[in-house]
Amino acid sequence: MTSSQNHVQILGGDQFHNLAEQELAKHSILMAKVHIQNIAWINAQFGNQMGDQVITTVRKALLNLERSYLVGEISPTLFGIACLQPEDPNGLIADISHALSEINTNSHWPFLVELAFGVIVANNDVSKNIHHWITRANTALMVSARKGQGVIYDESQDLFQKIRFELGKLRVGDNPPEGMRWVYQPVVETDSGKMIGFEALVRWDSPTLGSLSPDVFIPIAEEMGVIHIIDRWALMATTSACHTFDALNIESVGVNVSAKTFEHDRRFVDFVSNLVATCGVNHGQLVLEITETAVLENLLDASAIVQDLKDRGIEVAIDDFGKGETSLMNIATLQVDYLKLDKSLLRLPNLAVKGAMLKIGADIGASLGVKVLCEGIETQEDWDLVKAAGIPLAQGYFFGHPQPLEYYLKNE
Ligand code: C2E
Ligand code: CA
Ligand code: CA
């Protein structure tokens, strides 16, 4: 049978995996997993009927892909695709990206459908069963969810495995591994364009693996339970530079902290407050950025943690607000200091909708007394929109890429 779309139909999850396994026994295949990331949010905001429409549209797009040989519905929001052309994983990624971007371009929905997808090259190797490949496909999907683009896992290159090996060597109390460092991206005041803050972002130029994107190694570190070690280093690097921030008139510095860190490292809050006390960081100068979805998963704990941090003079930002599931009720309960609007809001296809969404973000901030920042300003047009919406803080390549601190000292 060829991959003619006429023969493709949606299979159940088990059937999909069984048939994929039969193919795999004969030859190598590509297996893709596609997940609709923000379906719960779409259902909550626009009703289940709208959610159903989205699911149907995504199903159709996947069935119509030229390369689909088998398409399975693993859960209502998670699809599997098997493709019989293992030599071209990039082609499959390109096809899926294209089909999915068409969904957003052609729809008149007042939101973007967010889709994550991972592709694996499943080799015809008797020592590995289908479950091995499903696990790998799930890792690719997880990395894709953070990167915002499709990801290929190719065991012959074995990058994920090598990253796992390197991350397995990290120990609390050690120094960061060679090539791991933090860079800082400016945050500007929207009205004046003046730089008043920074966000610290990790970079890892590994001597053995080359330059690794945090979107790739952070989810693997989270999965392995070592992310708290990296987050501790980020805080040490940042707080030890606080005199430089004062010299640059930087009022606040955001440091990303994974929700997994709070889960695995029960002494984390004590660790941060000790650092802050010993390094001479000003009250309110350090801001911990926590992603919204992560916060919402465990709201009771989150409220207690946020309060504890605030009591110790450490501020808290909800990161990536507007991406994935958003609940106003939860934001109100948490009493955070900052709301960082996700950059995907600026990429909404419809200008009027984009303006309206930014305005909603600004209004929430104003009524809850939370400082609002919009991420991902890339053009003058983006900046104008943010100003028009009345959002006080902005960040993005338009103002500057993340740079080492020496860069700012030299250009002062
Ligand atoms: P994030 O916290 O949302 O950080 C913003 C990301 O957007 C950064 O990517 C930044 O370089 C990028 N960015 C900034 N301006 C623009 C723009 O105008 N357009 C676009 N398209 N992108 C822009 P980066 O540095 O690759 O970091 C990716 C993610 O990795 C971060 O997303 C954060 O979730 C995580 N991360 C980075 N450093 C750390 C860390 O030290 N600890 C933890 N736990 N996570 C980190
Ligand atoms: Ca952040
Ligand atoms: Ca963000």
Side-chain angles (χ1 to χ4, degrees), residues 357-376:
M357 294 297 251
L358 294 177
K359 185 80 176 51
I360 293 173
D363 291 347
I364 296 172
S367 52
L368 295 180
V370 176
K371 292 167 261 190
V372 180
L373 181 155
C374 186
E375 297 185 322

Side-chain angles (χ1 to χ4, degrees), residues 8-128:
V8 182
Q9 50 165 335
I10 288 256
L11 308 167
D14 286 346
Q15 205 186 359
F16 170 76
H17 287 138
N18 289 340
L19 289 174
E21 182 153 40
Q22 283 173 25
E23 288 302 322
L24 196 53
K26 293 181 260 171
H27 44 74
S28 302
I29 61 170
L30 294 181
M31 193 199 281
K33 291 244 165 128
V34 179
H35 185 246
I36 313 176
Q37 297 287 97
N38 56 343
I39 196 75
W41 174 77
I42 294 172
N43 283 332
Q45 300 287 320
F46 304 96
N48 289 351
Q49 245 180 337
M50 184 72 99
D52 291 347
Q53 259 186 45
V54 169
I55 293 173
T56 311
T57 312
V58 172
R59 266 167 144 252
K60 264 197 211 139
L62 298 181
L63 279 170
N64 285 334
L65 280 180
E66 276 292 325
R67 289 168 206 254
S68 298
Y69 176 69
L70 301 171
V71 179
E73 196 167 37
I74 295 158
S75 80
T77 59
L78 177 66
F79 299 89
I81 301 172
C83 154
L84 300 186
Q85 295 143 330
E87 62 292 343
D88 189 16
N90 282 306
L92 182 60
I93 283 273
D95 281 1
I96 300 177
S97 304
H98 179 72
L100 301 182
S101 69
E102 296 265 285
I103 294 178
N104 280 317
T105 323
N106 297 338
S107 86
H108 296 285
W109 296 322
F111 51 80
L112 277 184
V113 183
E114 269 173 38
L115 296 132
F117 51 102
V119 170
I120 51 151
V121 186
N123 294 314
N124 159 244
D125 173 345
V126 284
S127 68
K128 289 176 182 131

